[in-house]
Amino acid sequence: MRHEPRADNRGILDPARLRREVRFRRRLPAVALRPYVEHYWLIDWELDEPFEQRVVPHPAVNAVFQRHGANPETAEVAGVGRELFRITLTGAGRVSGVQFRPGAFRPFWRRPVAELTGRRRPLPAGLVAGRQACAGTDDERCGTLDELLLAWDPRPDPAATEATALAEEIRVDRGLLRVDDLARRHDLSVRRLQRLFLDHVGVGPKWVIRRYRVQEAIEQAAGGPVDWARLAADLGYADQAHLVREFTAATGTTPAAYARSLSGRTG
């Protein structure tokens, strides 16, 4: 089990600019919640000009608590987003977010997670119970999130544990490029694998494979000059044109244009 939150920028477009404009950090949850929660993410901002951030979403559910200016805090659950996520921040505000591990929200939701895919729903008022997850220090905010999630009382679910492990395998194994290969590796039928992912992750395994490949390409682009043809081969694309199509569909810009947009910027 990890003792530090993830430090990569996967999915965040122009991460250096994000960190210049807002305070962004990740924190780990209480130990009892780590089988379910990837990390907490905290953002604070005080802006003179509007700032738009774009994110290529992970195959993960998020619980999001937001406070904009003097407005009351809101709380919602956001299912896996298939499209590019855009948000424009203005003035001052705070967000305290929970990124669940792919497949691990089912023990909280207790219904097929595909119901949430592409949707945002308010968290039940009784669950929030007046808790203010955007108030106080970072430790206090994370403590409030711990308290809320533990009170939600996630129920152990062997199928969710299986789905989470399979999604994690896709994330870390860059050589895993086909659903058939994953199914054979675990002696599962493709049909059962697809049902498992839809019920617990919210999207199918093919989509998860494709999304992690695109996020890897985004990460590589932010790290410096990229040999796109070689990267396309490394990530299992049929050719460079295939990588360009998927990258453009996910981000709204070509790999070369995205890399140019980052050139000369420092974090």
Side-chain angles (χ1 to χ4, degrees), residues 49-62:
E49 300 290 338
F51 165 61
E52 182 190 63
Q53 180 59 49
R54 297 173 298 147
V55 177
V56 177
H58 287 255
V61 174
N62 284 263

Side-chain angles (χ1 to χ4, degrees), residues 1-5 27-40 99-102 104 108 146 149-150 154 164:
M1 188 172 291
R2 290 183 298 108
H3 298 288
E4 296 291 338
R27 296 281 296 268
L28 289 179
V31 172
L33 291 166
R34 292 182 193 178
Y36 309 105
V37 174
E38 180 78 18
H39 55 247
Y40 297 148
Q99 185 175 109
F100 292 89
R101 299 179 68 193
F108 294 84
D146 285 341
L149 294 178
L150 291 169
T164 298

Side-chain angles (χ1 to χ4, degrees), residues 58-60 80 82 102 166-171 176 179 182 197 201-215:
H58 287 255
V80 176
R82 291 180 175 272
L166 291 168
E168 177 68 7
E169 189 173 341
I170 294 171
R171 186 180 72 84
L176 188 54
V179 175
L182 181 64
F197 268 64
V201 181
V203 288
K206 181 178 180 180
W207 191 92
V208 175
I209 291 171
R210 292 174 63 184
R211 178 48 51 96
Y212 279 137
R213 286 196 305 183
V214 168
Q215 288 189 339

